C-alpha cells in the first residue's frame, strides 16, 4: 500500500468549485483508500496498492464522472513530496515572498519551464528540481510574474500544478 498526495489542478481558485467532502467521497467511491483532503484547494492524501499512473487515471475518471469537468490530477507518493519540499533551494519563510513548488508531469514542459531561469522579474527566483520548478515571487506579483504568466498558458493545464510551500508542509504533517 502506498500513501500518495493528489493535487487537483484548477479547483477552487477561480475555476471549478468543488466541496472537498464531495471530492473525498468521489475518490473513496472509486476505490481509493484513507482519502483525506487538506485545505480547500484540491489537495488530497490517499492510499492505494496501485502505482501513481493508475491512481491518476482512477482519480481523474472519478472526478470527471462525479462533477462533469475535465479533471486534471497529479499524483506523487508522499516520500517524493517530502523530498521535494526538503530540497527547496530558497529561504522558505520570507514574509514578503510567496514560496511555491510547481509540479510538472511532462519532461518536455519541464525543460521549457526550466529555460525561464534568468528571465525572471524583480525579486522573482526560479530553479529546476526533480520533476518540479521551485519558484519564489514577491507577494502581489504572482499572476504578473514571468512564471505566473507562463503557467496560465493552456498547454500546461494537463501536466502542471503549483502549490505553496506552506500547503505542502501541511500535507506532510
Amino acid at each position: 500500500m502506498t500513501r500518495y498526495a493528489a493535487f487537483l489542478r484548477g479547483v477552487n481558485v477561480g475555476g471549478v468549485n468543488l466541496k472537498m467532502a464531495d471530492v473525498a467521497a468521489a475518490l473513496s467511491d472509486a476505490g481509493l483508500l484513507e482519502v483525506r483532503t487538506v485545505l480547500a484547494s484540491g489537495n488530497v492524501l490517499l492510499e492505494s496498492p496501485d502505482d501513481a499512473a493508475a491512481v491518476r487515471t482512477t482519480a481523474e475518471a472519478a472526478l470527471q464522472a462525479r462533477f462533469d469537468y475535465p479533471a486534471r490530477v497529479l499524483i506523487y507518493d508522499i516520500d517524493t513530496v517530502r523530498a521535494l519540499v526538503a530540497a527547496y533551494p530558497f529561504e522558505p519563510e520570507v514574509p514578503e515572498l510567496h514560496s511555491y513548488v510547481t509540479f510538472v508531469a511532462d519532461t518536455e514542459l519541464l525543460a521549457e519551464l526550466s529555460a525561464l531561469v534568468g528571465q525572471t522579474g524583480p525579486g522573482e527566483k526560479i530553479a529546476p528540481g526533480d520533476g518540479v520548478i521551485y519558484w519564489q515571487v514577491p507577494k502581489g506579483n504572482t499572476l504578473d510574474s514571468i512564471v505566473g504568466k507562463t503557467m496560465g498558458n493552456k498547454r500546461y493545464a494537463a501536466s502542471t500544478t503549483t502549490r505553496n510551500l506552506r500547503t505542502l508542509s501541511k500535507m506532510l504533517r
Side-chain angles (χ1 to χ4, degrees):
M1 192 68 59
T2 303
R3 186 89 173 136
Y4 291 103
F7 303 111
L8 285 62
R9 189 179 199 291
V11 171
N12 297 346
V13 290
V16 176
N17 292 312
L18 304 176
K19 292 180 181 173
M20 289 299 102
D22 295 340
V23 167
L27 296 175
S28 293
D29 291 349
L32 299 170
L33 307 170
E34 301 297 324
V35 178
R36 180 172 70 88
T37 62
V38 179
L39 304 172
S41 54
N43 306 297
V44 182
L45 295 168
L46 55 86
E47 292 183 6
S48 176
D50 297 329
D51 67 15
V55 172
R56 180 180 185 180
T57 299
T58 298
E60 288 180 344
L63 295 171
Q64 285 177 257
R66 178 75 58 100
F67 303 108
D68 194 30
Y69 84 103
R72 302 287 186 237
V73 182
L74 276 68
I75 305 286
Y76 296 86
D77 72 75
I78 203 70
D79 291 334
T80 297
V81 174
R82 192 176 314 284
L84 291 169
V85 168
Y88 193 79
F90 312 121
E91 178 66 37
E93 295 297 327
V94 180
E96 64 273 4
L97 299 174
H98 285 298
S99 299
Y100 295 115
V101 177
T102 297
F103 295 88
V104 186
D106 180 299
T107 54
E108 182 180 315
L109 296 180
L110 180 63
E112 283 179 25
L113 293 169
S114 296
L116 295 175
V117 171
Q119 299 178 35
T120 56
E124 184 179 17
K125 298 183 233 177
I126 64 170
D130 186 14
V132 299
I133 295 292
Y134 295 110
W135 176 33
Q136 199 167 57
V137 62
K139 288 183 177 178
N141 292 14
T142 300
L143 296 178
D144 296 327
S145 69
I146 297 295
V147 175
K149 287 178 182 175
T150 301
M151 294 307 298
N153 186 315
K154 289 183 191 267
R155 70 183 257 103
Y156 296 104
S159 300
T160 66
T161 192
T162 299
R163 292 298 186 272
N164 189 294
L165 194 60
R166 285 187 316 268
T167 297
L168 295 174
S169 295
K170 287 178 184 175
M171 292 186 76
L172 296 173
R173 291 184 189 153

